[in-house]
Amino acid sequence: GGNFGIGEIPSLQIKLNEKTSSEDVILSEPLEVSIIAMLDGEIIDFDSSNITVYNHGSIAPQLEKSENTYTIPNGWPKDEIYQFVVSVVYEWITYTETFTVYFENEL
């Protein structure tokens, strides 16, 4: 026994501003990120999403959310590296990926 059918869980890829989690996401104004989910190379609709942001190990304030686009509130430090833990729920399974996001300090 012990076979839980792991192979049946679809391989879902999360993208943040069209970047994969292995790429750096660099933001300048407006500080917005949008989530898409891909399954077998196709963009899919998913049930819900959430982003938790970490900065130096601390959880940052909630982002403002509209559909699958999130806006970073004014006042967050620029020239900082943030960890965006992005969760997507698709067919009752939660997929999570962590993205490195850098806020550019514009000249």
Side-chain angles (χ1 to χ4, degrees):
N3 183 352
F4 294 104
I6 295 300
E8 298 165 24
I9 295 176
S11 172
L12 184 131
Q13 183 181 51
I14 300 170
K15 287 191 171 184
L16 196 61
N17 286 6
E18 301 188 8
K19 301 271 191 181
T20 64
S21 57
S22 61
E23 300 175 280
D24 289 341
V25 179
I26 299 174
L27 296 182
S28 52
E29 303 293 341
L31 293 178
E32 273 189 355
V33 293
S34 55
I35 298 172
I36 59 171
M38 302 189 73
L39 193 59
D40 299 327
E42 301 284 323
I43 294 177
I44 57 165
D45 290 328
F46 46 87
D47 304 319
S48 65
S49 65
N50 186 55
I51 298 179
T52 304
V53 180
Y54 294 88
N55 177 239
H56 300 294
S58 302
I59 296 182
Q62 253 339 109
L63 303 180
E64 298 159 22
K65 180 179 178 181
S66 171
E67 298 290 317
N68 296 311
T69 299
Y70 294 76
T71 305
I72 291 96
N74 288 332
W76 282 26
K78 302 284 175 59
D79 277 338
E80 284 278 332
I81 294 173
Y82 296 85
Q83 261 28 73
F84 279 46
V85 178
V86 179
S87 299
V88 165
V89 178
Y90 175 68
E91 293 187 344
W92 301 284
I93 299 172
T94 301
Y95 299 86
T96 303
E97 290 190 41
T98 301
F99 294 79
T100 299
V101 180
Y102 177 75
F103 292 0
E104 260 183 339
N105 195 0
E106 291 178 311
L107 301 173

